[in-house]
Amino acid sequence: DERLRILDAILENMNEGLFLIDKDFKYVLINPASGRILSNDPRQWLGKRAGGYVHPDDRVKSHETVMRTIQGENSSCEARVMGSDGKYKHLEMHYSLIAVGETFYVLGLVEDITLRKKTEGELRTSEEKYRTLVETQSVAIMTLDLKGSILFANDNFQNVFGYTVDEASILNLFNLMHPEDVERAHRQVSQASRGMRIHNMEYRMMTKCGAYLPVLVSASPIVDKNGKVVSILCVANDITDLKATEIELAKHREHLEELVEERTSKLNE
Protein backbone atom coordinates (compact mmCIF):
# COMPACT_ATOMS: atom_id res chain seq x y z
CA ASP A 1 0.00 0.00 0.00
CA GLU A 2 1.44 3.38 -1.07
CA ARG A 3 0.21 5.19 2.04
CA LEU A 4 1.95 2.72 4.34
CA ARG A 5 5.21 3.13 2.43
CA ILE A 6 4.92 6.90 2.78
CA LEU A 7 4.25 6.61 6.52
CA ASP A 8 7.23 4.25 6.93
CA ALA A 9 9.46 6.69 5.05
CA ILE A 10 8.31 9.54 7.29
CA LEU A 11 8.97 7.53 10.46
CA GLU A 12 12.40 6.46 9.22
CA ASN A 13 13.59 9.90 8.16
CA MET A 14 12.03 12.44 10.53
CA ASN A 15 14.44 14.26 12.87
CA GLU A 16 12.11 14.27 15.86
CA GLY A 17 11.65 11.22 18.01
CA LEU A 18 8.25 9.54 17.82
CA PHE A 19 6.77 6.70 19.86
CA LEU A 20 3.49 5.05 20.82
CA ILE A 21 2.65 3.84 24.33
CA ASP A 22 -0.21 1.41 25.02
CA LYS A 23 -2.57 1.33 28.00
CA ASP A 24 0.06 -0.57 30.02
CA PHE A 25 2.60 2.23 29.43
CA LYS A 26 4.67 -0.03 27.15
CA TYR A 27 6.31 1.01 23.91
CA VAL A 28 4.62 -0.48 20.84
CA LEU A 29 6.30 1.73 18.24
CA ILE A 30 9.43 3.85 18.30
CA ASN A 31 11.17 5.49 15.35
CA PRO A 32 14.94 5.57 14.60
CA ALA A 33 15.26 9.25 15.57
CA SER A 34 14.31 8.35 19.15
CA GLY A 35 17.22 5.95 19.20
CA ARG A 36 19.62 8.50 17.71
CA ILE A 37 18.70 11.05 20.34
CA LEU A 38 19.67 8.67 23.17
CA SER A 39 22.26 6.62 21.22
CA ASN A 40 20.20 3.47 21.65
CA ASP A 41 18.73 0.85 19.35
CA PRO A 42 15.02 1.75 19.58
CA ARG A 43 14.04 -1.88 18.95
CA GLN A 44 15.38 -2.72 22.40
CA TRP A 45 12.65 -0.57 23.95
CA LEU A 46 9.69 -2.29 22.29
CA GLY A 47 7.54 -4.01 24.89
CA LYS A 48 9.31 -2.24 27.76
CA ARG A 49 7.56 0.09 30.16
CA ALA A 50 8.06 3.79 29.43
CA GLY A 51 9.79 6.02 31.94
CA GLY A 52 12.50 3.64 33.09
CA TYR A 53 15.30 5.93 31.92
CA VAL A 54 13.76 9.18 33.12
CA HIS A 55 15.71 11.05 35.80
CA PRO A 56 14.27 10.25 39.25
CA ASP A 57 13.47 13.91 39.90
CA ASP A 58 11.45 14.12 36.67
CA ARG A 59 9.49 10.86 36.86
CA VAL A 60 6.46 12.21 38.73
CA LYS A 61 6.14 15.16 36.37
CA SER A 62 6.52 12.92 33.32
CA HIS A 63 3.96 10.38 34.61
CA GLU A 64 1.42 13.09 35.43
CA THR A 65 1.80 14.52 31.93
CA VAL A 66 1.05 11.14 30.33
CA MET A 67 -1.95 10.67 32.64
CA ARG A 68 -3.40 14.03 31.57
CA THR A 69 -3.00 12.89 27.96
CA ILE A 70 -4.85 9.64 28.67
CA GLN A 71 -7.68 11.76 30.06
CA GLY A 72 -7.90 13.53 26.70
CA GLU A 73 -5.69 16.59 27.22
CA ASN A 74 -2.81 17.29 24.86
CA SER A 75 0.17 17.78 27.19
CA SER A 76 3.88 18.43 27.14
CA CYS A 77 6.79 18.47 29.55
CA GLU A 78 10.54 18.63 29.75
CA ALA A 79 12.45 15.74 31.32
CA ARG A 80 15.97 14.40 31.60
CA VAL A 81 16.36 10.96 30.06
CA MET A 82 19.44 8.74 30.31
CA GLY A 83 21.23 7.75 27.11
CA SER A 84 23.31 4.65 26.46
CA ASP A 85 26.43 6.49 27.72
CA GLY A 86 24.83 6.98 31.15
CA LYS A 87 24.49 10.73 30.64
CA TYR A 88 21.17 12.53 30.85
CA LYS A 89 19.80 14.52 27.94
CA HIS A 90 17.16 17.21 28.22
CA LEU A 91 14.14 16.25 26.13
CA GLU A 92 10.97 18.14 25.36
CA MET A 93 8.04 15.76 24.87
CA HIS A 94 4.61 16.46 23.47
CA TYR A 95 1.83 13.92 24.03
CA SER A 96 -1.56 13.36 22.42
CA LEU A 97 -4.13 10.57 22.53
CA ILE A 98 -4.90 8.72 19.30
CA ALA A 99 -7.31 5.89 18.48
CA VAL A 100 -6.52 2.95 16.25
CA GLY A 101 -9.87 1.23 15.85
CA GLU A 102 -11.14 0.83 19.39
CA THR A 103 -7.68 0.88 20.94
CA PHE A 104 -6.19 4.10 22.33
CA TYR A 105 -2.49 4.95 22.39
CA VAL A 106 -0.42 7.83 23.64
CA LEU A 107 1.57 9.39 20.81
CA GLY A 108 4.79 11.06 21.89
CA LEU A 109 6.95 13.48 19.91
CA VAL A 110 10.45 14.08 21.27
CA GLU A 111 12.89 16.92 20.68
CA ASP A 112 16.44 16.98 22.05
CA ILE A 113 16.85 20.36 23.80
CA THR A 114 20.10 19.54 25.62
CA LEU A 115 22.08 22.20 23.74
CA ARG A 116 19.36 24.79 24.29
CA LYS A 117 19.26 24.09 28.04
CA LYS A 118 23.06 24.29 28.20
CA THR A 119 23.01 27.63 26.39
CA GLU A 120 20.23 28.93 28.65
CA GLY A 121 22.22 27.86 31.71
CA GLU A 122 25.36 29.59 30.46
CA LEU A 123 23.35 32.70 29.67
CA ARG A 124 21.84 32.75 33.18
CA THR A 125 25.30 32.34 34.70
CA SER A 126 26.63 35.16 32.53
CA GLU A 127 23.69 37.41 33.45
CA GLU A 128 24.16 36.67 37.15
CA LYS A 129 27.87 37.51 36.94
CA TYR A 130 27.08 40.73 35.06
CA ARG A 131 24.38 41.70 37.54
CA THR A 132 26.68 40.98 40.48
CA LEU A 133 29.39 43.09 38.87
CA VAL A 134 27.02 45.96 38.18
CA GLU A 135 25.34 45.92 41.58
CA THR A 136 28.61 45.80 43.54
CA GLN A 137 30.23 48.75 41.78
CA SER A 138 30.71 51.91 43.84
CA VAL A 139 29.74 54.03 40.83
CA ALA A 140 26.30 54.75 39.39
CA ILE A 141 25.64 52.65 36.32
CA MET A 142 22.72 53.17 33.96
CA THR A 143 21.61 52.28 30.49
CA LEU A 144 19.84 54.86 28.36
CA ASP A 145 17.73 54.69 25.25
CA LEU A 146 18.89 56.85 22.35
CA LYS A 147 16.78 59.77 23.63
CA GLY A 148 18.38 59.77 27.06
CA SER A 149 15.62 58.03 29.04
CA ILE A 150 16.96 55.75 31.78
CA LEU A 151 16.16 52.11 31.07
CA PHE A 152 18.12 50.61 33.97
CA ALA A 153 20.01 51.90 36.99
CA ASN A 154 22.03 49.89 39.49
CA ASP A 155 21.48 50.04 43.25
CA ASN A 156 24.36 52.47 43.71
CA PHE A 157 22.51 55.02 41.55
CA GLN A 158 20.37 55.66 44.63
CA ASN A 159 23.45 56.01 46.84
CA VAL A 160 24.92 58.62 44.52
CA PHE A 161 21.84 60.60 43.40
CA GLY A 162 19.17 59.68 45.96
CA TYR A 163 16.62 58.35 43.45
CA THR A 164 15.35 54.81 43.91
CA VAL A 165 15.67 52.36 41.04
CA ASP A 166 11.93 52.71 40.35
CA GLU A 167 12.19 56.51 40.35
CA ALA A 168 15.18 56.35 38.04
CA SER A 169 13.20 54.34 35.50
CA ILE A 170 11.00 57.36 34.70
CA LEU A 171 13.84 59.89 34.53
CA ASN A 172 15.66 61.32 31.54
CA LEU A 173 19.39 62.00 31.78
CA PHE A 174 19.08 65.46 30.25
CA ASN A 175 16.58 66.54 32.91
CA LEU A 176 19.18 65.75 35.56
CA MET A 177 21.89 67.80 33.90
CA HIS A 178 22.79 71.34 34.96
CA PRO A 179 21.26 73.73 32.40
CA GLU A 180 24.73 74.80 31.27
CA ASP A 181 25.70 71.15 30.61
CA VAL A 182 22.59 70.00 28.71
CA GLU A 183 23.72 70.98 25.21
CA ARG A 184 27.08 69.26 25.63
CA ALA A 185 25.36 66.15 27.04
CA HIS A 186 23.06 66.03 23.99
CA ARG A 187 26.07 66.16 21.66
CA GLN A 188 27.85 63.35 23.45
CA VAL A 189 24.79 61.09 23.69
CA SER A 190 24.38 61.64 19.97
CA GLN A 191 28.02 60.62 19.45
CA ALA A 192 27.51 57.47 21.54
CA SER A 193 24.37 56.61 19.55
CA ARG A 194 26.58 56.66 16.44
CA GLY A 195 28.99 54.17 17.97
CA MET A 196 31.55 56.44 19.64
CA ARG A 197 32.86 55.98 23.18
CA ILE A 198 32.89 58.90 25.60
CA HIS A 199 35.50 58.95 28.36
CA ASN A 200 35.50 60.88 31.65
CA MET A 201 33.47 63.92 30.72
CA GLU A 202 32.72 66.20 33.66
CA TYR A 203 29.10 67.17 34.30
CA ARG A 204 26.93 68.52 37.06
CA MET A 205 23.93 66.26 37.74
CA MET A 206 21.00 67.01 40.03
CA THR A 207 20.37 64.81 43.05
CA LYS A 208 16.93 64.08 44.46
CA CYS A 209 17.34 66.89 47.00
CA GLY A 210 17.93 69.40 44.20
CA ALA A 211 21.69 69.89 44.66
CA TYR A 212 24.07 69.50 41.75
CA LEU A 213 26.76 66.86 42.06
CA PRO A 214 30.02 66.96 40.07
CA VAL A 215 30.45 63.65 38.23
CA LEU A 216 32.72 62.11 35.64
CA VAL A 217 30.65 60.29 33.02
CA SER A 218 31.82 57.67 30.53
CA ALA A 219 29.50 56.24 27.89
CA SER A 220 29.68 53.24 25.56
CA PRO A 221 27.25 52.15 22.83
CA ILE A 222 25.38 48.85 23.23
CA VAL A 223 24.76 47.13 19.90
CA ASP A 224 22.49 44.30 18.79
CA LYS A 225 23.62 41.22 16.85
CA ASN A 226 23.55 43.26 13.62
CA GLY A 227 25.86 45.94 15.02
CA LYS A 228 23.10 48.52 15.38
CA VAL A 229 23.32 50.78 18.45
CA VAL A 230 20.20 50.14 20.54
CA SER A 231 21.11 51.74 23.88
CA ILE A 232 23.94 53.42 25.75
CA LEU A 233 25.79 52.29 28.88
CA CYS A 234 26.74 55.17 31.18
CA VAL A 235 28.96 55.15 34.24
CA ALA A 236 28.84 58.19 36.54
CA ASN A 237 31.52 58.61 39.19
CA ASP A 238 30.93 61.10 42.02
CA ILE A 239 33.96 63.40 42.15
CA THR A 240 32.77 65.65 44.98
CA ASP A 241 35.74 64.69 47.16
CA LEU A 242 38.13 65.15 44.24
CA LYS A 243 36.75 68.62 43.53
CA ALA A 244 37.04 69.51 47.21
CA THR A 245 40.65 68.35 47.18
CA GLU A 246 41.33 70.42 44.07
CA ILE A 247 39.90 73.49 45.81
CA GLU A 248 42.05 72.88 48.87
CA LEU A 249 45.14 72.43 46.69
CA ALA A 250 44.34 75.61 44.81
CA LYS A 251 44.00 77.51 48.11
CA HIS A 252 47.26 76.01 49.35
CA ARG A 253 49.04 76.91 46.10
CA GLU A 254 47.66 80.47 46.28
CA HIS A 255 48.83 80.73 49.87
CA LEU A 256 52.30 79.52 48.91
CA GLU A 257 52.47 82.04 46.09
CA GLU A 258 51.53 84.80 48.53
CA LEU A 259 54.26 83.67 50.93
CA VAL A 260 56.82 83.58 48.12
CA GLU A 261 55.77 87.02 46.93
CA GLU A 262 55.97 88.38 50.48
CA ARG A 263 59.38 86.82 51.02
CA THR A 264 60.64 88.21 47.72
CA SER A 265 59.44 91.70 48.63
CA LYS A 266 61.33 91.58 51.94
CA LEU A 267 64.49 90.44 50.24
CA ASN A 268 64.28 93.36 47.79
CA GLU A 269 63.89 95.94 50.53
Side-chain angles (χ1 to χ4, degrees), residues 34-45:
S34 298
R36 288 194 298 270
I37 290 173
L38 295 171
S39 303
N40 276 322
D41 181 351
R43 292 172 296 184
Q44 296 178 357
W45 292 3

Side-chain angles (χ1 to χ4, degrees), residues 41-60:
D41 181 351
R43 292 172 296 184
Q44 296 178 357
W45 292 3
L46 293 176
K48 292 185 178 179
R49 188 174 175 84
Y53 295 96
V54 175
H55 191 285
D57 292 344
D58 295 339
R59 285 176 185 167
V60 172

Side-chain angles (χ1 to χ4, degrees), residues 219-232:
S220 301
I222 299 174
V223 300
D224 62 15
K225 62 181 180 181
N226 298 315
K228 179 182 177 182
V229 178
V230 293
S231 55
I232 299 168

Side-chain angles (χ1 to χ4, degrees), residues 45-111:
W45 292 3
L46 293 176
K48 292 185 178 179
R49 188 174 175 84
Y53 295 96
V54 175
H55 191 285
D57 292 344
D58 295 339
R59 285 176 185 167
V60 172
K61 173 177 65 175
S62 182
H63 179 77
E64 290 175 346
T65 303
V66 173
M67 291 303 298
R68 288 199 302 273
T69 305
I70 291 173
Q71 293 166 7
E73 175 186 344
N74 289 344
S75 303
S76 62
C77 73
E78 294 179 7
R80 291 160 290 179
V81 181
M82 185 186 295
S84 61
D85 58 1
K87 296 181 179 178
Y88 285 98
K89 288 197 172 185
H90 289 267
L91 306 183
E92 185 172 63
M93 291 170 281
H94 302 272
Y95 299 103
S96 57
L97 192 65
I98 65 171
V100 180
E102 297 182 356
T103 305
F104 287 90
Y105 297 92
V106 173
L107 171 67
L109 291 174
V110 181
E111 181 183 359

Side-chain angles (χ1 to χ4, degrees), residues 206-263:
M206 186 170 61
T207 64
K208 188 174 181 179
C209 67
Y212 283 98
L213 197 69
V215 292
L216 281 181
V217 177
S218 295
S220 301
I222 299 174
V223 300
D224 62 15
K225 62 181 180 181
N226 298 315
K228 179 182 177 182
V229 178
V230 293
S231 55
I232 299 168
L233 174 67
C234 287
V235 178
N237 191 11
D238 179 5
I239 57 170
T240 302
D241 292 342
L242 176 63
K243 298 296 286 185
T245 301
E246 288 178 351
I247 292 172
E248 287 300 317
L249 287 174
K251 289 181 179 178
H252 183 63
R253 184 167 54 249
E254 184 180 343
H255 180 61
L256 286 176
E257 289 173 353
E258 290 174 352
L259 290 176
V260 169
E261 185 177 344
E262 180 181 343
R263 180 62 174 166

